Amino acid sequence: GAVVSQHPSRVICKSGTSVKIECRSLDFQATTMFWYRQFPKKSLMLMATSNEGSKATYEQGVEKDKFLINHASLTLSTLTVTSAHPEDSSFYICSARARTGSYNEQFFGPGTRLTVL
Amino acid sequence: AQSVTQLGSHVSVSEGALVLLRCNYSSSVPPYLFWYVQYPNQGLQLLLKYTSAATLVKGINGFEAEFKKSETSFHLTKPSAHMSDAAEYFCAVLDFGNEKLTFGTGTRLTIIP
């Protein structure tokens, strides 16, 4: 149980185009999902918290107009990188929150490698 | 604010030797602590977690960690390293207020044949 998928796993796009990444909780409902960004050989940095049916909450320094997040259902959150540029190239990982015991655990997706040419 | 510090960005051990990855935490409240493993180009897999129950926590793949409040530590160990243990390991602490995870900088484990 508690499986999270991401699509696509890899994407290459031209500079200036937009890319959408999907995060799905396959066997549970998630009112909250998180989006992380990981630079090469670096740790995960939280970008935003995605709440079903409401606006996402962005971390300080993350451009909300560049990284659009939509959480339209209890099993799907999407991250759209708008007008992508080479510096947006990174590994993007989502997680979905589910109650396990005494706290809400995060279950992570397999990640999406974005390369902007 | 809560934080974790991982000492040693790279650790190399011989196959069959003891694995010790260090994590120290800073928290004003009793923390919930986690160890995750990441293989190349993959997401995070939970190895084990401490949620204020037993201080010695056993996880998957033969790993375990001990919560030591006096040392503010949560080091990850495995008695005998296997080649398949080569990966990146992250320690993390949970913020109860906003339920966000804060990750350490990671330790890359290399296994020497």
Side-chain angles (χ1 to χ4, degrees):
Chain A
V3 178
V4 177
S5 70
Q6 282 185 241
H7 179 78
S9 58
R10 292 176 177 269
V11 57
I12 301 173
C13 69
K14 293 182 179 179
S15 185
T17 61
S18 294
V19 174
K20 180 184 286 188
I21 302 170
E22 295 184 346
C23 177
R24 293 183 184 271
S25 56
L26 297 184
D27 50 3
F28 67 101
Q29 293 183 330
T31 57
T32 300
M33 293 184 176
F34 299 90
W35 286 97
Y36 296 85
R37 181 173 180 177
Q38 186 178 30
F39 291 100
K41 300 183 180 181
K42 297 291 185 182
S43 188
L44 280 74
M45 299 299 296
L46 180 65
M47 298 175 64
T49 303
S50 169
N51 297 296
E52 187 268 336
S54 65
K55 291 183 179 181
T57 304
Y58 291 82
E59 296 299 300
Q60 191 172 7
V62 177
E63 299 176 61
K64 61 181 180 181
D65 293 332
K66 179 162 192 64
F67 298 99
L68 300 180
I69 292 173
N70 184 276
H71 194 158
S73 80
L74 288 172
T75 59
L76 173 64
S77 174
T78 60
L79 168 68
T80 301
V81 183
T82 62
S83 186
H85 290 283
E87 58 265 29
D88 299 323
S89 297
S90 195
F91 195 56
Y92 293 88
I93 302 175
C94 74
S95 70
R97 195 181 71 180
R99 191 76 182 181
T100 57
S102 61
Y103 74 105
N104 290 313
E105 185 168 340
Q106 289 187 35
F107 297 91
F108 288 83
T112 296
R113 172 78 58 194
L114 170 63
T115 303
V116 184
L117 302 176
Chain B
Q2 296 172 298
S3 66
V4 289
T5 302
Q6 291 184 242
L7 298 176
S9 58
H10 291 87
V11 171
S12 296
V13 301
S14 298
E15 189 176 15
L18 171 71
V19 175
L20 171 60
L21 305 183
R22 301 178 185 274
C23 174
N24 288 88
Y25 69 90
S26 173
S27 176
S28 58
V29 298
Y32 278 16
L33 295 161
F34 306 81
W35 275 100
Y36 290 90
V37 61
Q38 184 181 34
Y39 297 99
N41 294 310
Q42 295 186 26
L44 299 183
Q45 181 181 10
L46 180 66
L47 277 176
L48 48 79
K49 59 189 176 186
Y50 168 75
T51 57
S52 73
T55 56
L56 181 61
V57 181
K58 294 185 183 299
I60 62 172
N61 301 338
F63 285 93
E64 62 182 37
E66 186 172 7
F67 174 75
K68 292 187 176 180
K69 184 177 179 181
S70 61
E71 298 177 8
T72 62
S73 69
F74 189 57
H75 301 331
L76 181 71
T77 61
K78 181 174 180 178
S80 178
H82 191 272
M83 294 301 293
S84 61
D85 295 327
E88 188 86 19
Y89 292 80
F90 293 96
C91 181
V93 62
L94 179 68
D95 185 318
F96 290 105
N98 55 31
E99 297 195 331
K100 295 178 182 178
L101 284 170
T102 299
F103 289 88
T105 50
T107 298
R108 181 170 297 276
L109 177 64
T110 300
I111 309 299
I112 303 168

